[in-house]
Each structure stands twice: as C-alpha cells, then as structure tokens.
Amino acid sequence: MGGWAIAVHGGAGVDPKLPEERQEEARRVLRRCLGVGAVALRAGRPAVDVVEMVVRELETDPVFNSGRGSALTQEGTVEMEASIMDGRGRRCGAVSGLTTVKNPVSLARLVMDRSPHSYLAFHGAEDFAREQGVEVVDNSYFITDENVRMLKLAKEANSIVYDYRVPVPSADTCSSSAGLVGATTDGGMQMNGLPISIYAPETVGCVAVDSGGWCAAATSTGGLMNKMSGRIGDSPLIGSGTYACGACAVSCTGEGEAIIRSTLARDVAALMEYKGLGLQEAVDYALKERLDEGKAGLIAVSRNGEVANGFNTVGMFRGCATEDGFMDVAIW
C-alpha cells in the first residue's frame, strides 16, 4: 500500500476572468478542507468517514455550489443533491431534490447506512431526514444575496449561468457581464443534444483512500443556476458522478448530462479493472474518449495511494494531499 491520500474539487469550468480575490478565496477553502481530511486520515479514520466530513465542510461554506450557496432554480429556490460510496462492499447512498437538509451528503450517508435503499428523492428524502433527526433549516438558509442577483440577470438574459460567483456588475454593465451568455453567444454548446447557452459546473467532491487501502467518494451540488425545478444531474447518480470500489474512488464535475451518458466515474474504474490501465491513464482515457464533446473534470485516488485528476475545461478547482506530506491546491 502507498499510504493514505485525499483529493477534493470545487467544480470544473472556471471562468478565465474570475477575479483574483475569488480565486484566492477558493484556494483557502480547499486548503482548509484538505487539512480537515488529512488530520482525520492521519488519525486512522476510514475513508468513507473522511469524504463525508470534508464534503460537509464544503457544503457549509458558501464559496462553492453545494449546501449553503447552492445555485437557484427558475423559481428562486434551492434543490440539492448528493451521493456517497464506500469501496468496501460498494455500498452507496444518494439523495436528490432536498430543500431543507443542511448537509445533503450526510443524508446520503444515512440512506446508505440506515435504509434498505440506495437512493431517495424529494419528499421521500425529506421525510427520511426528519425520521433520522437530521438537522434541517429553512430554504432561505441556502440562498445568498449574490445568487438572487445572479438569477435575476440569468432570467433577463434567458441563460444558464456559467460561473455565478463572478461579482454581479452594476445595472449599466449587465449586458456584458462575465458569466452570462445571451442568445448571440457563439460556440454551439449543447446539453443532452439541445442547444443551451452554457452550463454552471460547480459541484464539490472528495475522494480518499485510507491507510488500510479502502477507497471512498462523495459528491454534492446545488445543480445549475436557473435550472428547471426537478432537474437531476450526475452528482447523485452512482457510476456517473460518484463511484468507489476496491480499485479506486472517483468524483466528477461538469456537464451533468454528458457525465450521465458516459457513466464517467464507473468508466475510470472499469478501465483499471478490465483494461489494466493505471489511475492517471484511466482518467485521461475516460475524459478523452467517453464524453462525446461534453465538458467535465474529475478527481480520483487508487487503493495504492495514487492521486489523479483531469479536466477538459479551462480550469478546475482542486487539491490533494498524501501521507508523505505533499499538498497542492490549483485552479488552472
């Protein structure tokens, strides 16, 4: 075994014009969350506990699109989703359509540990949360003033927002704001075969391998800014946005519809299991050959303590740490 290792991400598809102060804010959060995970792994905590712990931290901080600070639906509400998977026995839990659960990833963990099911959604998931005594809050807790303003701009532009953390411009400069794309945008991006302006991939995720060589993964998101109510992305779908097995653990981010079609997370594991590829080789192959022009990124760890990442977007918020003391946080 190569020792424990951990990786985190805060979403792929970073706006190249993202202000430096926002970049540093993101790096600060990623470093803090990596530190939390590293301390837990050093203390001998199992990987599945660590990925839940780290994603809870990311959900609580409004810097990224999960938990507090989640993207808003067309109706101006928050609908969150998350999943978790333990490579030991390939146990998993997932939730969608959450509107009051403070930490969606922990409810996904409870679905895995305390229910006969793997996936609960909307009213069923909310009912289960109350049965389990999970902390719930009013939907307004998740909504930030900045996101309300950005949703307004997105509606005016009839657009999905690419990076809604870019500071909202004044009214007289709205038409040229970074991150909003109007009907005249070039590039022809499509989602699920239909033309859209551009997507908002700011999912958070964590993968870890513990000192025993067991891998786990967790992913959480608020989805797309200005999305249709009821839309479900890749994040809660085991095999698409999240996967863990005896060989590796993977968490994805990006264009959810493309990730779903390619079962991207599971494909990385399959390439290792069936084709004998190394971790980074499998990541690179999956991103190049399986996305059909979709845009995405992912992080992964192997049971041997290797860490890998990849993305075909401009950037991806990411970081990793290993037992030998290495730690790195990057965006571009």
Side-chain angles (χ1 to χ4, degrees):
M1 297 298 174
W4 60 259
I6 183 172
V8 297
H9 72 74
V14 186
D15 189 328
K17 297 180 181 178
L18 187 66
E20 183 60 41
E21 61 269 23
R22 292 300 178 95
Q23 295 181 40
E24 185 51 43
E25 187 178 29
R27 291 188 184 97
R28 172 186 58 78
V29 174
L30 292 174
R31 278 192 291 265
R32 175 171 59 79
C33 292
L34 277 175
V36 168
V39 168
L41 287 165
R42 199 174 293 122
R45 295 286 294 273
V48 69
D49 287 354
V50 174
V51 296
E52 178 191 2
M53 184 187 312
V54 170
V55 172
R56 280 179 63 94
E57 289 284 325
L58 289 163
E59 288 174 341
T60 303
D61 195 306
V63 166
F64 295 115
N65 173 16
S66 65
R68 186 164 181 264
S70 284
L72 305 181
T73 68
Q74 291 175 343
E75 287 72 33
T77 60
V78 165
E79 292 180 1
M80 300 166 292
E81 50 197 25
S83 62
I84 189 167
M85 190 165 187
D86 186 353
R88 189 192 296 240
R90 286 183 293 199
R91 300 184 310 123
C92 61
V95 289
S96 285
L98 299 182
T99 58
T100 68
V101 175
K102 188 174 183 181
N103 289 109
V105 71
S106 290
L107 186 61
R109 175 74 184 271
L110 289 171
V111 171
M112 178 175 74
D113 288 345
R114 298 186 187 176
S115 87
H117 306 302
S118 295
Y119 194 164
L120 294 175
F122 296 91
H123 295 305
E126 292 279 350
D127 291 345
F128 180 69
R130 284 155 179 79
E131 291 172 8
Q132 296 297 316
V134 169
E135 184 176 4
V136 296
V137 293
D138 189 81
N139 196 253
S140 61
Y141 163 82
F142 305 104
I143 300 173
T144 64
D145 290 341
E146 183 177 20
N147 285 355
V148 170
R149 292 193 297 270
M150 194 57 77
L151 177 63
K152 181 176 183 292
L153 291 177
K155 285 180 172 292
E156 290 172 353
N158 191 28
S159 173
I160 293 173
V161 178
Y162 173 77
D163 190 327
Y164 61 86
R165 290 172 307 105
V166 174
V168 177
S170 59
D172 59 344
T173 60
C174 285
S175 60
S176 61
S177 68
L180 285 180
V181 185
T184 59
T185 299
D186 295 326
M189 176 170 281
Q190 295 188 339
M191 183 175 287
N192 208 30
L194 298 174
I196 64 165
S197 297
I198 201 157
Y199 62 98
E202 293 210 6
T203 300
V204 304
C206 179
V207 294
V209 55
D210 57 35
S211 56
W214 294 107
C215 300
T219 311
S220 181
T221 189
L224 305 177
M225 179 66 77
N226 200 24
K227 67 182 179 180
M228 294 174 64
S229 180
R231 182 261 184 185
I232 294 173
D234 66 287
S235 297
L237 300 185
I238 300 301
S240 292
T242 305
Y243 192 75
C245 60
C248 66
V250 183
S251 175
C252 300
T253 171
E255 185 185 341
E257 281 67 11
I259 294 171
I260 291 168
R261 292 194 304 272
S262 65
T263 57
L264 188 62
R266 170 58 191 157
D267 239 32
V268 173
L271 286 162
M272 296 179 69
E273 293 171 344
Y274 304 144
K275 202 169 183 177
L277 297 188
L279 183 67
Q280 188 65 60
E281 281 184 296
V283 167
D284 293 343
Y285 187 96
L287 285 170
K288 181 179 179 181
E289 302 294 339
R290 293 290 186 257
L291 280 170
D292 299 325
E293 299 184 357
K295 300 297 182 182
L298 61 87
I299 54 173
V301 294
S302 76
R303 64 186 174 193
N304 297 321
E306 302 163 297
V307 180
N309 72 78
F311 51 94
N312 61 6
T313 56
V314 174
M316 180 173 73
F317 297 104
R318 64 197 186 279
C320 66
T322 57
E323 188 172 324
D324 61 10
F326 177 79
M327 181 181 285
D328 183 55
V329 170
I331 300 176
W332 312 110

